Amino acid sequence: MTNETTKQGRLIMTTVAVIIGIFLIISAPFLGAKGLSTPLHRLIEVNQIQDPNGVWDTPVGILVATFHVWIALFVFGGATLLMIAKDIYADKKWARPLALTIMAIPSMGGMTMVIPWLVLVTTDALGNKNPDAGMSPAIFIMIVGLVGYFIILLTEKADFKTKIAQVITFLALGVVGGMVFMNAQHGVRHFLTKGPFYNPTDSNPELFLGGFVMYAATLLFFVTIGLMAARKELGWYTGMIAGIVTFAGAFLTYIDRYNVPSGQEWLRGAMLSAVFVAILVIPWIKKRVLGQL
């Protein structure tokens, strides 16, 4: 594994970078905004009325803020893809890892944008199904990002076993990174609701770890994607750190909140982070992804 690509492969990557770059600038912001509007209406006009004692105030601000952060990242990412397209074709070694990192933004961002739709639009606060829910517009952002992500990943010249190791590792990075961000949303909304004062019954330390710390850890997944795509061992270390931190944050939060429905989400997140760490420590996968075989 030397991060080498063929001329045809570089042409494919360049074309994909330009197309997705334009999509991220022109279409993704509008799809993201549409994907936010309906969940907010449902949250305020349906869920809050059905369950007035629920935690519904903080999610409004959190969803508005995080959706628009992702939208801003889409635009910056799209501009970056357009700028580095010629460098991808010129086979500059830094361009392909950077392109893969940028492709992870719509993949993970689209995934996190779809979840509020599934939670708030497809059902209500009482668990009733909404037959008119439809599909979140943000799913198209996720699909486009995933297509670009795997095209950039698999155009590298490598044997079949190495490509399998790549798919396992980089798919895990995207899925776990998205899950971490989604759980962070829950942690932050409950942490802000409980207030800044420490009270063992209010789970403040755990919710801080399961919220703001998880937000910060999401950044490490992007760093890891770029570094590991460039075959840098530092990427393995950042990935391990991200996995350990997110497992600890999610599992500690679950222990404290296992008796509430949302507690199961932190358990799933903790298990996914544990699986991710296990993947990284498998010698066969680690060596192939880092180009040490």
Side-chain angles (χ1 to χ4, degrees):
M1 283 293 291
T2 57
N3 198 24
E4 295 289 340
T5 55
T6 64
K7 185 176 181 179
Q8 182 181 17
R10 293 194 298 276
L11 178 60
I12 292 172
M13 287 191 293
T14 301
T15 303
V16 168
V18 171
I19 293 173
I20 295 183
I22 294 172
F23 169 81
L24 290 177
I25 294 172
I26 295 177
S27 299
F30 294 95
L31 293 172
K34 289 180 181 179
L36 171 64
S37 179
T38 302
L40 285 182
H41 277 287
R42 290 279 298 182
L43 190 154
I44 296 169
E45 298 168 1
V46 178
N47 292 41
Q48 192 170 27
I49 294 174
Q50 290 179 336
D51 183 13
N53 296 320
V55 182
W56 305 116
D57 294 331
T58 52
V60 174
I62 292 169
L63 288 176
V64 170
T66 55
F67 264 67
H68 285 86
V69 167
W70 282 117
I71 288 172
L73 289 174
F74 295 157
V75 176
F76 277 102
T80 303
L81 287 174
L82 293 179
M83 284 301 300
I84 68 172
K86 63 182 186 302
D87 299 302
I88 296 172
Y89 189 72
D91 201 22
K92 294 184 179 180
K93 298 307 177 187
W94 55 265
R96 178 180 167 275
L98 177 57
L100 188 66
T101 306
I102 298 299
M103 295 297 181
I105 294 174
S107 301
M108 291 170 56
M111 174 183 174
T112 61
M113 285 178 162
V114 168
I115 299 305
W117 188 285
L118 296 177
V119 173
L120 298 170
V121 180
T122 60
T123 60
D124 58 26
L126 303 179
N128 301 313
K129 297 291 183 180
N130 176 14
D132 302 318
M135 183 172 58
S136 169
I139 198 167
F140 296 106
I141 302 174
M142 181 182 71
I143 291 172
V144 169
L146 285 173
V147 169
Y149 186 72
F150 283 105
I151 287 176
I152 298 294
L153 177 67
L154 296 175
T155 46
E156 184 180 50
K157 289 196 296 186
D159 59 67
F160 180 73
K161 291 181 179 179
T162 298
K163 288 188 181 291
I164 292 296
Q166 283 181 306
V167 168
I168 292 172
T169 302
F170 285 90
L171 179 61
L173 277 164
V175 171
V176 178
M179 185 69 176
V180 165
F181 190 88
M182 289 185 289
N183 276 342
Q185 304 276 72
H186 294 299
V188 168
R189 77 185 181 101
H190 285 289
F191 178 81
L192 293 177
T193 300
K194 298 298 182 182
F197 304 107
Y198 174 72
N199 185 329
T201 62
D202 285 345
S203 315
N204 289 33
E206 291 84 353
L207 288 176
F208 177 71
L209 292 175
F212 287 105
V213 171
M214 299 277 262
Y215 269 153
T218 304
L219 297 175
L220 283 179
F221 286 90
F222 289 105
V223 173
T224 299
I225 288 170
L227 290 173
M228 292 194 76
R231 305 298 172 262
K232 302 293 185 182
E233 192 170 15
L234 178 59
W236 183 83
Y237 282 94
T238 58
M240 287 293 293
I241 292 169
I244 293 169
V245 167
T246 55
F247 169 78
F251 192 65
L252 287 173
T253 307
Y254 166 71
I255 289 175
D256 197 77
R257 301 180 63 79
Y258 69 91
N259 58 340
V260 298
S262 61
Q264 299 302 313
E265 295 301 322
W266 276 298
L267 177 61
R268 295 186 188 97
M271 294 302 100
L272 278 175
S273 292
V275 170
F276 172 65
V277 169
I279 289 171
L280 289 185
V281 298
I282 296 173
W284 181 83
I285 291 180
K286 176 186 175 183
K287 290 180 179 180
R288 286 193 174 275
V289 172
L290 294 179
Q292 297 173 349
L293 283 180

